[in-house]
Amino acid sequence: MSYYSAEEMKKTLKDYPKFQKRLYCRGFLITNEKQNVNLEYPFYANWKEETIGHSFYMYTHKETYAYTFEKNQVIHFIIGHAYDPYNMLVNENEILKKLASAREKSEADYWDAESNLTGVFCVGYVTENQIVYTTDCAGMQLVYHGIIGDKLYITSHAKLVADLKGLKQPEYIERLTTNKYWHYWGTWLPGDLSPFDELKRMVPNHFGSYEKKQNSIEVVRFYPTEKIVETKTQEEYENTIHELGNIMSNTMECIAKKWPEKKVSISVTGGRDSMTALSCANKVYDKLHYFSYISNVDESVDAYAAKEILAHLGLEHELYEIPENWDGYKDLPVFKKVMECNNGCIGANNTNDLKKRLYFTENPPCDMEIKSWVNEMGRGWYYNKYNKKKFPQYPYASYWRAMHKVYVGKYLIKETDNVFAEYLRKYYDKKTFDNLSWLELYFWEFAWSGGEGIFLTTEHRVSYDITIPFNNRKYVELMLTVPLEKRKVDDIPIDLITYMEPRIAETGITVHDISHTNFRAFVVRNYLEIFSKIRFGRKREKF
């Protein structure tokens, strides 16, 4: 893995101009330092500028949606796309009006209204002296923020700011991302780190508040504020399943209504998450499309299971096979550079994924993919990954480090423990963990945002845009009211599919994750138990 400087990328993209628009694709930048959005690197005239308030500029890639609404000298904004399945709102301008009215009542009302929103977005507002901003429910829209000199930068792509300001990766990031175990369990950074010291990742369920006079950022948690209580009776559980089904049915109606002129497709497999999305689309089957792809042998099982289920429902299925040989692959080395710049040069994509993304960039299967991510939050995922019945009541830095990735060697273990200790201190307290289990918050605020958020923002959305119907805070909270024992055995998706579309359940087709085996669980569990105890003299943090 290499770090590609701005000068090197200028030369590369001068020779291969067709990839200029893929650099920091669907990205954004908010700053109080004016930029020159011209024909030169890194913007290449593919970005537009809008002034928000008296002090800030909003720069967006030409394929990025951006909306503003002003009321009583407060400018509200959404970058990306959003819809509200609770009030059946699909127009961002109407959503911004509702947010503006809620804010005038109280800050709590504003965040409650924001929690109605589904989609992939950065949202916030600007007053005379302040800008407030956050990411979506699970941080699927990656947001980095920081102050460089006396200027604020909020962005989707950390290396965009690095290119503009001449930032360098610190020694820790260089050593971390070049160690031989780095590629295990995905390329994502610990804590709230970005590839550069000057920027941090925006953690979901928090907002950033920048005060112009103080020239400082305050990060404030706005959720959860109360303890999430599990259902106690079978009747309560069944009512919860029905409520989840109604919300998701509304969500699918919103999606169908939002992009009537576009080809909107559910990416389907035989897995429970995509089948949940499919079952909840039963009122709008005729308005959506359905596709699967095969880029390696393992994916064929998913694709053909999806084909059989869709045939049972009488729905047309589009199957895309990524060719082994295609003339466009001759440009793969250049595309690889662009993709690595998009993720901040913290790791190389594997060749199969690169081929898939490049092929779909020139042969997109849809305009908007409905992706079934985030639903896993309701499934007791880590208990199953490790085959563990019990975790510590409260976390500590070395435990999060051992859950994150494979760390070997004193330097990386010690420095990473420092990162996670600061992360825990900065974002969590005992009350927060008493409101919601730390394991759920690890999955929600760290693994999903820090891991899948970077993949979605910097890799998946390079080819075409993506929406995530399960990416809604109130929906996720409702899933977490289901008792853990039910979630661990996938009762939510099983019962939701049966309730919403029993014909899917009739097929009896279920695709299981072949990578999850008892042996693998044994290996990762033992790694966790052994390496979490290695702390090189550091005391275990207490809550």
Side-chain angles (χ1 to χ4, degrees):
M1 200 280 294
S2 302
Y3 185 87
Y4 302 112
S5 68
E7 288 303 315
E8 181 176 353
M9 290 307 297
K10 285 180 189 177
K11 294 176 184 176
T12 299
L13 293 174
K14 182 179 179 181
D15 294 335
Y16 294 87
K18 74 174 185 177
F19 289 112
Q20 291 174 1
K21 64 182 179 181
R22 296 300 105 199
L23 182 70
Y24 311 133
C25 177
R26 294 190 172 85
F28 71 87
L29 170 65
I30 297 175
T31 179
N32 49 359
E33 183 171 39
K34 187 174 177 61
Q35 306 298 314
N36 189 3
V37 189
N38 57 18
L39 294 171
E40 301 300 318
Y41 182 91
F43 295 112
Y44 293 116
N46 288 316
W47 291 60
K48 53 187 179 288
E49 176 187 287
E50 181 178 350
T51 303
I52 48 175
H54 301 295
S55 305
F56 297 98
Y57 303 94
M58 179 167 68
Y59 299 94
T60 52
H61 187 271
K62 66 181 182 181
E63 295 176 20
T64 302
Y65 302 106
Y67 309 88
T68 59
F69 171 74
E70 184 171 359
K71 184 178 183 182
N72 295 332
Q73 297 183 308
V74 178
I75 300 174
H76 296 261
F77 65 86
I78 290 175
I79 302 172
H81 67 264
Y83 39 97
D84 177 351
Y86 297 90
N87 297 288
M88 298 305 289
L89 298 176
V90 300
N91 181 287
E92 281 81 2
N93 292 312
E94 293 301 316
I95 289 170
L96 287 174
K97 289 178 184 178
K98 194 167 187 65
L99 288 173
S101 297
R103 182 185 173 275
E104 290 186 335
K105 294 178 182 177
S106 71
E107 185 174 289
D109 283 310
Y110 176 85
W111 294 114
D112 182 70
E114 190 273 341
S115 295
N116 286 335
L117 303 183
T118 306
V120 179
F121 57 84
C122 172
V123 63
Y125 58 86
V126 178
T127 66
E128 184 178 357
N129 296 307
Q130 180 191 37
I131 180 169
V132 172
Y133 53 93
T134 190
T135 180
D136 53 57
C137 163
M140 293 296 92
Q141 174 57 70
L142 192 62
V143 176
Y144 294 114
H145 59 144
I147 297 171
I148 303 172
D150 61 348
K151 302 299 181 183
L152 172 70
Y153 284 84
I154 306 167
T155 186
S156 53
H157 294 78
K159 194 173 181 299
L160 168 62
V161 176
D163 289 342
L164 295 171
K165 302 301 293 180
L167 307 183
K168 304 295 182 184
Q169 285 188 347
E171 179 189 3
Y172 169 71
I173 296 294
E174 290 180 352
R175 291 179 64 170
L176 178 65
T177 58
T178 55
N179 88 85
K180 66 179 180 179
Y181 301 106
W182 174 244
H183 65 284
Y184 292 128
W185 304 346
T187 51
W188 48 303
L189 298 173
D192 63 351
L193 296 190
S194 86
F196 310 95
D197 283 342
E198 293 84 352
L199 300 170
K200 301 298 181 188
R201 175 179 60 86
M202 187 77 239
V203 177
N205 301 324
H206 296 75
F207 65 83
S209 174
Y210 172 80
E211 296 281 352
K212 187 167 60 174
K213 291 181 179 178
Q214 284 76 30
N215 192 37
S216 63
I217 296 172
E218 181 184 14
V219 178
V220 180
R221 177 178 289 280
F222 65 86
Y223 177 88
T225 57
E226 298 177 352
K227 186 176 180 61
I228 295 177
V229 180
E230 291 185 351
T231 57
K232 293 181 173 60
T233 67
Q234 182 63 20
E235 182 181 5
E236 287 178 338
Y237 168 70
E238 290 175 1
N239 289 339
T240 298
I241 292 297
H242 296 171
E243 188 176 352
L244 288 169
N246 292 336
I247 295 167
M248 197 47 53
S249 178
N250 285 351
T251 299
M252 291 301 181
E253 286 192 59
C254 284
I255 291 171
K257 189 188 300 184
K258 186 169 181 59
W259 294 287
E261 304 303 319
K262 293 190 174 186
K263 183 179 181 182
V264 182
S265 302
I266 300 180
S267 173
V268 286
T269 69
R272 287 191 171 124
D273 297 314
S274 76
M275 287 301 104
T276 302
L278 179 63
S279 70
C280 293
N282 57 2
K283 291 182 180 179
V284 290
Y285 279 156
D286 61 325
K287 294 179 172 60
L288 302 175
H289 300 262
Y290 311 91
F291 82 99
S292 307
Y293 56 78
I294 299 174
S295 64
N296 58 46
V297 175
D298 291 343
E299 290 173 346
S300 62
V301 176
D302 286 355
Y304 289 115
K307 188 176 187 68
E308 189 173 345
I309 291 168
L310 287 163
H312 187 71
L313 298 178
L315 299 174
E316 184 178 345
H317 177 243
E318 297 176 281
L319 180 58
Y320 296 86
E321 297 194 41
I322 311 302
E324 279 192 37
N325 299 301
W326 174 55
D327 187 57
Y329 294 151
K330 68 181 184 299
D331 295 328
L332 198 65
V334 177
F335 187 65
K336 177 178 181 290
K337 280 187 173 184
V338 171
M339 294 292 277
E340 289 182 29
C341 284
N342 286 352
N343 74 19
C345 292
I346 60 169
N349 303 86
N350 69 55
T351 301
N352 183 68
D353 285 344
L354 281 172
K355 285 184 173 181
K356 180 167 56 183
R357 289 295 145 220
L358 180 56
Y359 182 78
F360 276 151
T361 295
E362 299 196 21
N363 304 277
C366 58
D367 300 311
M368 178 69 70
E369 175 190 351
I370 301 173
K371 201 173 195 67
S372 304
W373 282 7
V374 181
N375 195 44
E376 292 95 326
M377 284 193 203
R379 296 177 62 182
W381 196 84
Y382 278 99
Y383 289 90
N384 294 323
K385 174 181 177 177
Y386 293 103
N387 275 358
K388 276 177 68 70
K389 294 182 178 179
K390 191 175 181 181
F391 285 83
Q393 183 179 5
Y394 297 107
Y396 44 96
S398 60
Y399 207 86
W400 278 39
R401 180 248 304 154
M403 288 181 66
H404 175 219
K405 292 181 75 65
V406 176
Y407 289 93
V408 177
K410 183 175 181 179
Y411 173 83
L412 287 180
I413 288 176
K414 191 172 182 178
E415 291 302 313
T416 305
D417 281 355
N418 289 337
V419 170
F420 276 119
E422 173 62 15
Y423 180 74
L424 287 167
R425 183 202 64 77
K426 185 175 178 181
Y427 295 102
Y428 300 101
D429 55 25
K430 184 177 182 296
K431 181 182 177 182
T432 302
F433 289 140
D434 288 341
N435 284 339
L436 182 59
S437 160
W438 72 264
L439 198 60
E440 308 294 358
L441 288 167
Y442 176 97
F443 199 28
W444 185 339
E445 298 181 350
F446 174 58
W448 269 103
S449 174
E452 307 306 330
I454 193 170
F455 303 143
L456 193 84
T457 298
T458 68
E459 178 186 339
H460 290 243
R461 292 172 68 207
V462 167
S463 303
Y464 45 79
D465 210 352
I466 295 171
T467 193
I468 302 177
F470 300 104
N471 192 26
N472 180 288
R473 188 171 294 107
K474 290 183 178 179
Y475 186 88
V476 171
E477 178 181 296
L478 193 58
M479 287 197 294
L480 294 175
T481 65
V482 172
L484 177 60
E485 293 308 311
K486 284 184 172 292
R487 291 191 280 120
K488 287 196 292 189
V489 294
D490 283 356
D491 275 1
I492 293 177
I494 291 170
D495 292 338
L496 192 51
I497 291 167
T498 302
Y499 172 64
M500 296 300 294
E501 180 55 279
R503 290 182 296 169
I504 294 177
E506 286 170 6
T507 67
I509 298 172
T510 303
V511 175
H512 298 283
D513 182 1
I514 60 173
S515 67
H516 179 73
T517 64
N518 287 334
F519 177 72
R520 178 169 179 165
F522 170 80
V523 171
V524 296
R525 183 173 65 251
N526 278 278
Y527 169 80
L528 173 63
E529 298 303 336
I530 294 169
F531 277 78
S532 65
K533 292 179 173 62
I534 300 174
R535 290 191 283 273
F536 291 109
R538 184 184 186 91
K539 291 185 178 180
R540 177 169 158 174
E541 296 78 16
K542 293 182 179 180
F543 283 92

